[in-house]
Amino acid sequence: MIPVIAIDGPAASGKGTLARRIAAHYGLRHLDTGLTYRAVAHALVATGKPLDDEAEAVAAAERLDLSAMDRTVLAAHAVGEAASKVAVIPAVRRALVERQRRFAETPPGAVLDGRDIGTVVCPDATAKLYVTASPEVRAKRRYHEILAGGGVADEAAILADIERRDARDMGRADSPLRPAIDAHLLDTSDMTIETAFQAARAKIDRAIERN
């Protein structure tokens, strides 16, 4: 059985850092599914296409090279805002979910992180984690991350943005952000990345043993 590890959670919860660490530990491929929506939005903007052009957005999703997504370029705030508009198009979600599933099913296995992995993309994943933290902690992490990168940030504005994204992600009709029934909850509010990794590894090891 090909191991698939699903990691869901809200923005700035630490799920991406944790997912990359887990993938390296188990020798699995990693996919940040949020980047796939950003990549589609970026492709539309780069070619001057409107973000609500369903046919063009679906075509971009089907052409997307999952191995060539530039995290630095796609991490821009403007790309994230554009991605939030593309992500609400059901046909785009269907196209990207199909791409994400094919990625997960390819040997030797994969770690996928996002907002609907355990509930929609890989409901039969070997192990499922729902990584979260308080909005205040997540805002502080994002704030320090921006400063460390040489940027300028307003922590209160970041907190407000995170709260808006949470409300949007949890309230959308199609694939809302929520933990899968069988997901292990991992609250990283008071955890270092090392502590979170060890806690996640213990849960994943048990799940792999059962399978």
Side-chain angles (χ1 to χ4, degrees), residues 29 31 33 36-37 39-40 57-69 91-106 110 112 121-122:
R29 295 151 68 243
L31 179 64
T33 62
T36 64
Y37 291 94
V40 169
V58 170
E62 291 173 343
R63 287 194 304 267
L64 182 60
D65 182 351
L66 299 184
S67 65
M69 296 188 294
V92 173
R93 297 196 71 84
R94 287 193 296 272
L96 287 178
V97 165
E98 178 58 32
R99 299 291 310 279
Q100 293 159 12
R101 283 177 177 156
R102 290 206 300 270
F103 182 93
E105 292 164 358
T106 303
L112 284 78
V121 181
C122 300

Side-chain angles (χ1 to χ4, degrees), residues 88-164:
V88 299
I89 303 174
V92 173
R93 297 196 71 84
R94 287 193 296 272
L96 287 178
V97 165
E98 178 58 32
R99 299 291 310 279
Q100 293 159 12
R101 283 177 177 156
R102 290 206 300 270
F103 182 93
E105 292 164 358
T106 303
V111 177
L112 284 78
D113 71 86
R115 288 171 172 74
D116 61 350
I117 310 304
T119 54
V120 175
V121 181
C122 300
D124 297 321
T126 310
K128 300 178 186 179
L129 299 176
Y130 187 85
V131 182
T132 190
S134 72
E136 293 76 15
V137 166
R138 289 187 280 136
K140 188 175 293 293
R141 287 174 180 168
R142 181 61 55 82
Y143 172 73
H144 287 297
E145 184 180 281
I146 293 170
L147 294 188
V152 177
D154 179 334
E155 191 171 339
I158 293 171
L159 175 59
D161 184 55
I162 280 176
E163 290 175 334
R164 279 195 301 272

Side-chain angles (χ1 to χ4, degrees), residues 77-91:
H77 182 73
V79 177
E81 289 300 303
S84 70
K85 296 179 175 65
V86 168
V88 299
I89 303 174

Side-chain angles (χ1 to χ4, degrees), residues 16 20 30-32 35 68-76 113:
R20 291 189 291 275
H30 169 248
L31 179 64
D32 175 347
L35 286 184
M69 296 188 294
D70 188 328
R71 177 177 295 278
T72 302
V73 171
L74 299 179
D113 71 86

